[in-house]
Amino acid sequence: DAASRGEALAHAKEAVSIRRKIAEEQPAVYLHDLATSLSNLSNRLSEKGDAASRREALAYAREAVGIYRKLAAEQPAIYLADLAMSLNNLTVRLSEQGDAA
């Protein structure tokens, strides 16, 4: 329901805020977690369906891809699958932009 989706979005935003802070302090340990949280937040925002939320979702998806690209370049055996997943999410977010116009 709408209340649960709103609560999920609030928690996703909080998770990004926390993980962004700890990733700044210890990127080697927490950067992957930040990218995961960014992808999750992108998905939650996209579910809202309005144009502004979908644009915001696209920005978070792009940020996640950027992080995963960096991680995959450094350790492809560990992060290449995550990069592929985030690219898939980015593709969906990009395709939604026309739907929300």
Side-chain angles (χ1 to χ4, degrees):
D1 69 341
S4 294
R5 285 190 299 277
E7 185 178 357
L9 179 58
H11 291 309
K13 287 181 177 182
E14 183 180 10
V16 165
S17 177
I18 292 167
R19 285 184 164 166
R20 191 179 300 282
K21 182 178 188 293
I22 61 176
E24 288 172 4
E25 295 168 0
Q26 294 183 306
V29 178
Y30 294 110
L31 202 53
H32 174 266
D33 293 331
L34 173 58
T36 300
S37 290
L38 288 165
S39 291
N40 185 46
L41 178 55
S42 174
N43 292 338
R44 299 299 70 78
L45 283 164
S46 176
E47 290 170 352
K48 289 183 71 177
D50 62 278
S53 295
R54 286 187 172 173
R55 281 191 301 273
E56 191 176 359
L58 178 59
Y60 287 120
R62 285 185 167 141
E63 185 178 357
V65 166
I67 292 170
Y68 280 126
R69 279 193 196 284
K70 179 182 184 298
L71 293 170
E74 295 169 359
Q75 295 181 292
I78 297 172
Y79 295 112
L80 207 53
D82 292 323
L83 174 58
M85 180 266 316
S86 69
L87 286 166
N88 183 63
N89 287 341
L90 178 57
T91 300
V92 173
R93 299 295 82 84
L94 285 164
S95 70
E96 290 171 343
Q97 295 308 299
D99 295 340

